[in-house]
Amino acid sequence: MIILPAIDLKDGQCVRLFQGDYATAEQVADDPVETAKGFEDADARWIHIVDLDGAKARRPVNDATIFSIRKNTTLNMEVGGGIRDMESVEYYLSRGVNRVILGSAALQDPAFVREAVRQYGKRIAVGIDARDGKVAAEGWTAQSEMDYLDMARQMEQIGVRYLIFTDIAKDGTMAGPNLVMLDKINRAVSCSIIASGGVSNLKDIVDLNNLGLYGAIAGKAIYTKALDLRAAVTACQHLSGNTLKVREEIEDHLERYFMKSDLIPAIVQEASTGEVLMLAYMNRESMVKTLETGYTWFYSRSRQTLWNKGATSGHVQKVLNIIADCDDDTLLIKVVQTGPACHTGSHSCFFKEIV
């Protein structure tokens, strides 16, 4: 899991809000660029920036400050706030921003998100901000009737790979993240989930990592020094190291699965329904890549090369569990399936009834 320290910009200043209320804006640092440099010095690799003025104005407002941060640091940047059209998307991405976040626009205009994803792929993220389980918009000043899980599934179907989820009730409170809602959204979709809101200490970081999330945003806790950013980054590296150690141990024992053949059949099953989706084959390398990425990789016997399920169609399979049979020569892979599993458009490859 990665840590993304946050800068919220209002009137060119670093501020924090309480539960998304603009009236509670409090300046928390003197200079955004120097603040970002401090994050970089603490070994952060990413930074999360929100243009609060832009969110209300429906267009980029603090873009000059954002580009100054881009010029003066080597941090990877994800930026949100006021990005409502393809011109704004291109404006940021062509000037060195690594990922843009679509929020209100994603709720109001899914076709725009689809076009952005078509052009820019994984450089598009969607922010889902929820109050009482319903998605909020317009800088959290407007409330919709869209359930946050329904919104997540809709974005997954469009092809969005990164979702940033905020429980507004937790934002700026340092009361701990909403682990229940985060666990639900992470299990509901194959997208990489970034948690936002409520992070207050290292235990929260460990708890979020244990959910298997992609990332965690920390803001107020860093500014109040309740959370030491360098310690949080180090903790994530340590936790990832433990995961890698486990994977290395698995790799050391891969030979047991390939004693009879260099290829092993893999049955793919939808975790939520138990439906068998497809049968494919794995070699050692594809099995390792599946373990490393968390998404299915297979070996094509006809093309004699590795292939990543959904690489071209977007119909990816997020791996939840891999189980070997009693003879260690067949795998059962339980997944969260995005879209149809079969190239024919059928949800499952098994649809031709014989008897």
Side-chain angles (χ1 to χ4, degrees):
M1 188 176 78
I2 64 171
I3 300 293
L4 300 91
I7 290 180
D8 288 357
L9 293 171
K10 187 174 185 297
D11 301 323
Q13 298 179 333
C14 297
V15 304
R16 295 302 295 169
L17 308 182
F18 181 80
Q19 297 183 345
D21 184 355
Y22 278 58
T24 66
E26 172 189 5
Q27 185 175 351
V28 291
D30 292 331
D31 181 79
V33 174
E34 292 304 315
T35 300
K37 287 181 178 179
F39 294 160
E40 186 175 30
D41 291 342
D43 296 330
R45 295 186 295 112
W46 278 86
I47 186 171
H48 172 86
I49 304 176
V50 177
D51 180 355
L52 294 174
D53 298 308
K56 294 189 74 172
R58 302 169 64 89
R59 60 176 176 77
V61 174
N62 288 288
D63 45 320
T65 301
I66 291 168
F67 293 136
S68 184
I69 293 172
R70 170 71 293 158
K71 180 180 179 181
N72 288 282
T73 74
T74 61
L75 292 165
N76 294 304
M77 299 173 61
E78 63 176 29
V79 173
I83 303 173
R84 304 299 186 93
D85 50 43
M86 290 302 298
E87 289 77 14
S88 296
V89 171
E90 193 275 337
Y91 177 65
Y92 278 123
L93 294 182
S94 66
R95 288 165 173 77
V97 171
N98 302 86
R99 192 159 61 213
V100 296
I101 306 162
L102 309 182
S104 300
L107 178 66
Q108 298 160 0
D109 189 2
F112 162 50
V113 181
R114 184 176 289 106
E115 177 61 19
V117 170
R118 188 188 70 79
Q119 289 196 35
Y120 295 104
K122 65 182 181 180
R123 299 184 72 186
I124 304 298
V126 167
I128 299 179
D129 307 322
R131 183 182 284 112
D132 299 325
K134 302 298 182 181
V135 180
E138 306 299 339
W140 299 353
T141 61
Q143 189 76 16
S144 77
E145 292 303 314
M146 171 78 79
D147 181 81
Y148 79 104
L149 293 180
D150 291 339
M151 174 84 171
R153 293 186 183 104
Q154 182 185 50
M155 293 300 105
E156 177 189 38
Q157 290 295 323
I158 287 173
V160 175
R161 296 297 297 270
Y162 295 95
L163 296 178
I164 300 165
F165 176 72
T166 306
D167 175 13
I168 296 173
K170 293 287 188 178
D171 185 72
T173 66
M174 293 177 54
N178 191 322
L179 299 176
V180 173
M181 294 181 77
L182 285 163
D183 188 41
K184 285 182 178 179
I185 194 172
N186 193 46
R187 291 178 180 274
V189 296
S190 62
C191 311
S192 296
I193 305 299
I194 301 174
S196 175
V199 171
S200 62
N201 52 44
L202 281 176
K203 182 182 182 301
D204 291 334
I205 300 300
V206 174
D207 288 342
L208 292 171
N209 180 82
N210 289 341
L211 292 182
L213 304 186
Y214 164 77
I217 295 168
K220 187 174 182 178
I222 294 173
Y223 293 110
T224 62
K225 303 190 184 305
L227 176 69
D228 182 272
L229 177 57
R230 187 184 299 276
V233 171
T234 301
C236 282
Q237 292 172 343
H238 176 70
L239 292 167
S240 298
N242 287 343
T243 301
L244 290 173
K245 182 178 180 181
V246 171
R247 288 175 178 166
E248 288 169 0
E249 291 173 355
I250 292 174
E251 290 173 27
D252 289 342
H253 293 89
L254 282 184
E255 194 61 34
R256 65 189 294 184
Y257 303 114
F258 299 96
M259 292 179 66
K260 299 176 184 178
S261 172
D262 287 335
L263 293 178
I264 184 171
I267 302 165
V268 181
Q269 180 186 46
E270 191 165 41
S272 61
T273 65
E275 182 179 9
V276 175
L277 299 176
M278 57 180 285
L279 171 70
Y281 289 84
M282 284 185 166
N283 63 1
R284 292 168 180 82
E285 187 179 357
S286 65
M287 191 170 177
V288 169
K289 288 185 75 68
T290 297
L291 293 171
E292 287 178 343
T293 64
Y295 291 86
T296 53
W297 284 79
F298 302 108
Y299 182 81
S300 170
R301 293 174 296 170
S302 59
R303 300 192 304 273
Q304 296 187 340
T305 186
L306 297 185
W307 62 283
N308 174 213
K309 177 63 178 174
T312 56
S313 67
H315 300 155
V316 297
Q317 295 170 341
K318 183 178 181 180
V319 176
L320 297 185
N321 200 10
I322 302 178
I323 303 169
D325 75 339
C326 57
D327 295 320
D328 286 336
D329 59 6
T330 303
L331 299 177
L332 176 65
I333 305 178
K334 297 185 178 183
V335 304
V336 176
Q337 174 69 46
T338 300
C342 184
H343 71 281
T344 65
S346 175
H347 187 65
S348 168
C349 291
F350 295 93
F351 57 87
K352 297 181 178 180
E353 187 172 347
I354 297 176
V355 294

